Amino acid sequence: MNILETERLILRLQTTDDAPFILELVNDPSWIQFIGDRSVKTVEEAASFIENGAIRMYEQFGFCLYVVAKKEDQTPIGICGFVKRDTLEDVDIGFAFLPDYWGKGYAFEAASAVLAYGLDILGFNRIVAITTQDNHASAKLLERIGLQFERDIQFSNDSEELRLFSLNDDESK
């Protein structure tokens, strides 16, 4: 099911048919460096990852990380959407793209559309995002779409310190 459409992209719900793409994405070295190793090593594990992640989140909250596909040929190139984490009070925007599609404006196009969707359609008053300390590209993109660095946070004593960005709905107008 398509959720959003931009000039060049379609953002749609993930399905288990996306397992080969998700397997490639979550095992990309940049995903492992900046997001973490999810121990998804087979297509079957990727299908389970989708079922227990995006599909379950959409069923529970009405949003998730959507597949971002090129409109011209439906090629999946990344994911972008919202996550509701137990560790954060607010909904957080997230994105990840295969390296072949970096530097072409796709992440900005998708994240801008998702942010507007969250504010205007889903009615979020505050949207946050987290990055690792060294993920400068994601931090730059978050700032380009209107989020501002708020503070460093740590989820537990043994976890790394992360950067928290935020946007309050009244700041976006």
Side-chain angles (χ1 to χ4, degrees):
M1 180 170 89
N2 292 354
I3 302 295
L4 290 168
E5 201 171 298
T6 69
E7 183 181 335
R8 301 180 297 164
L9 304 171
I10 293 172
L11 284 80
R12 63 172 174 75
L13 294 180
Q14 291 184 46
T15 72
T16 54
D17 290 341
D18 294 307
F21 162 69
I22 293 297
L23 179 64
E24 179 182 4
L25 183 66
V26 303
N27 284 291
D28 183 80
S30 63
W31 175 290
I32 292 169
Q33 177 185 356
F34 296 124
I35 298 170
D37 188 348
R38 298 298 186 248
S39 296
V40 175
K41 304 301 180 202
T42 66
V43 171
E44 293 76 23
E45 289 173 347
S48 180
F49 181 79
I50 293 166
E51 289 171 347
N52 295 319
I55 292 173
R56 181 174 288 161
M57 185 156 297
Y58 188 78
E59 289 170 351
Q60 187 173 0
F61 297 109
F63 56 80
C64 62
L65 290 168
Y66 310 112
V67 169
V68 178
K70 290 172 36 184
K71 195 184 280 188
E72 67 187 40
D73 61 8
Q74 304 299 308
T75 300
I77 63 172
I79 56 174
C80 184
F82 296 109
V83 177
K84 180 62 188 103
R85 300 176 196 273
D86 295 337
T87 51
L88 288 173
E89 186 175 326
D90 302 293
V91 171
D92 104 76
I93 189 169
F95 45 82
F97 287 79
L98 292 172
D100 286 350
Y101 302 98
W102 294 356
K104 297 174 174 37
Y106 292 126
F108 177 77
E109 190 173 326
S112 296
V114 164
L115 186 67
Y117 178 72
L119 296 169
D120 300 339
I121 306 301
L122 298 177
F124 298 144
N125 294 319
R126 179 173 154 85
I127 296 172
V128 300
I130 54 173
T131 69
T132 57
Q133 294 289 335
D134 60 344
N135 193 343
H136 305 295
S138 288
K140 184 177 176 182
L141 177 58
L142 291 170
E143 290 171 342
R144 279 189 65 207
I145 65 169
L147 281 77
Q148 297 177 342
F149 174 73
E150 187 173 294
R151 68 182 190 276
D152 290 327
I153 62 169
Q154 200 169 5
F155 291 136
S156 64
N157 288 339
D158 59 349
S159 69
E160 70 178 304
E161 197 170 72
L162 301 170
R163 301 181 75 207
L164 177 73
F165 293 79
S166 66
L167 173 76
N168 295 316
D169 189 27
D170 56 351
E171 293 171 1
S172 66
K173 296 189 170 40

